[in-house]
Amino acid sequence: MYQQIVVLTGAGISAESGLRTFRDQDGLWEEHHIEDVATPEGYERDAELVERFYNSRWQQLHSGTVEPNAAHLALAKLEAEFQGQLLVVTQNIDDLHERAGSRRLLHMHGELSKGRCPRSRQTFILREPFGADNCCTCCIPAQRLRPHVVWFGEMPLGMDRIHDALDNCDLFIAIGTSGTVYPAAGFVDTANHHGAQTVEVNMMAPDRHSQFQYHLTGKAGELVPQLVE
Ligand code: BV8
């Protein structure tokens, strides 16, 4: 029986909940240039453009039409069985894992439902869309909140905890990620180095496909509940 399980999720696990992925057909990167909406430089250049990008995703997430799917629910069930031996590391900034019941969860690329003070780095639950009037309450003068999101060139969150879990895991499962963005794309190498079993759940064979020992090809909403049973 496994002692420590690390699950890495990407945009593909939320696709069946109706949230767009990045690099699939009709993905987010088809309509936006990464450097314009997911880098600090892009935010410096045109904060309103970046705010529109995240506000539209925030509004969709809170429209009442987006729910956790069977894959999110299956991971929450797995956590209930494995308790402290399971850590879900998500690259996603949606809150579908939380809403499905996951608690041992780490958002390494931040969270859409939070804004951050650019000066203190204090985070605030987002009560209204980003904009010139949506400011922190921790500074004088108040600072315009930025998305609490890790952009390209920024350090992902929780890396010490992630590396500790990877160094000690005996099962690593990647679900719905293209394996194109580092350091997340390199986690499978760490798991392999420590002798863990590595499993990939994806609709196709993504970039790091050959690094995985086992492959489940299909929809996360169908395969993850079977995997967990
Ligand atoms: C950093 C913002 C260092 C949040 C995102 C090493 C080598 C090369 C480059 C680098 C490197 N190290 C760092 C870099 C640079 C860069 C990088 O990796 N560039 C890439 C493009 C080459 N990395 C960084 O900049 C990272 N920072 O390393 O900092 C540092 C050190 C010291 C001090 C300071 C800094 C930061 C990376 C985070 C960037 N932020 N987004 C947001 O807007 O959401 S990345 C973005 O891509 C999202 O976060 C997303 O999570 C991530 C990965 O995408 P996926 O989740 O995989 O989604 P994708 O659409 O690509 O794929 C979906 C998959 O699902 C597909 O495979 C599809 O087949 C599958 N699928 C679809 N439907 C289903 C399905 N599977 C199953 N079922 C389905 N139904």
Side-chain angles (χ1 to χ4, degrees):
M1 184 53 83
Y2 297 109
Q3 295 309 308
Q4 169 81 40
I5 304 174
V6 175
V7 179
L8 172 69
T9 64
I13 198 170
S14 297
E16 290 158 83
S17 296
L19 294 183
R20 292 165 73 182
T21 66
F22 291 89
R23 298 168 182 86
D24 291 323
Q25 198 172 2
D26 186 35
L28 286 163
W29 295 153
E30 280 190 1
E31 274 175 25
H32 306 278
H33 294 294
I34 286 179
E35 56 276 8
D36 290 340
V37 294
T39 63
E41 296 78 14
Y43 184 67
E44 280 300 308
R45 261 197 316 275
D46 188 346
E48 283 77 13
L49 171 67
V50 176
E51 287 171 345
R52 283 197 299 278
F53 177 61
Y54 287 99
N55 284 339
S56 69
R57 292 167 69 188
W58 180 71
Q59 271 141 7
Q60 183 196 10
L61 192 58
H62 294 87
S63 62
T65 61
V66 176
E67 296 296 333
N69 64 55
H72 297 105
L73 294 167
L75 289 181
K77 179 169 173 269
L78 188 66
E79 176 182 311
E81 287 163 20
F82 276 82
Q83 296 295 331
Q85 296 158 283
L86 171 76
L87 176 65
V88 175
V89 178
T90 187
Q91 299 172 91
N92 300 338
I93 60 175
D94 63 57
D95 60 353
L96 296 178
H97 281 299
E98 291 89 329
R99 287 164 55 191
S102 286
R103 291 297 171 266
R104 285 179 55 82
L105 172 68
L106 199 157
H107 283 273
M108 66 177 291
H109 290 166
E111 297 174 72
L112 187 53
S113 55
K114 292 179 182 171
R116 187 167 85 217
C117 172
R119 179 182 291 165
S120 70
R121 289 184 66 83
Q122 188 173 325
T123 58
F124 298 82
I125 297 295
L126 209 59
R127 306 257 182 244
E128 59 186 301
F130 290 106
D133 301 336
N134 194 350
C135 294
C136 75
T137 55
C138 55
C139 299
I140 298 174
Q143 302 293 306
R144 183 178 190 151
L145 289 182
R146 59 156 276 180
H148 178 51
V149 160
V150 178
W151 286 325
F152 287 95
E154 294 186 323
M155 177 58 96
L157 307 171
M159 290 305 295
D160 290 345
R161 186 176 171 203
I162 294 170
H163 280 300
D164 182 55
L166 288 171
D167 290 349
N168 296 287
C169 82
D170 47 11
L171 177 60
F172 177 74
I173 307 171
I175 302 172
T177 181
S178 60
T180 45
V181 174
Y182 288 82
F187 291 169
V188 62
D189 304 318
T190 306
N192 278 324
H193 175 73
H194 289 283
Q197 289 198 323
T198 53
V199 181
E200 171 188 62
V201 178
N202 201 304
M203 297 272 282
M204 44 161 281
D207 284 20
R208 307 299 326 275
H209 179 77
S210 59
Q211 301 306 314
F212 287 86
Q213 294 151 8
Y214 303 98
H215 308 277
L216 300 176
T217 304
K219 289 186 173 183
E222 292 162 14
L223 292 176
V224 178
Q226 293 169 23
L227 190 66
V228 165
E229 264 160 28

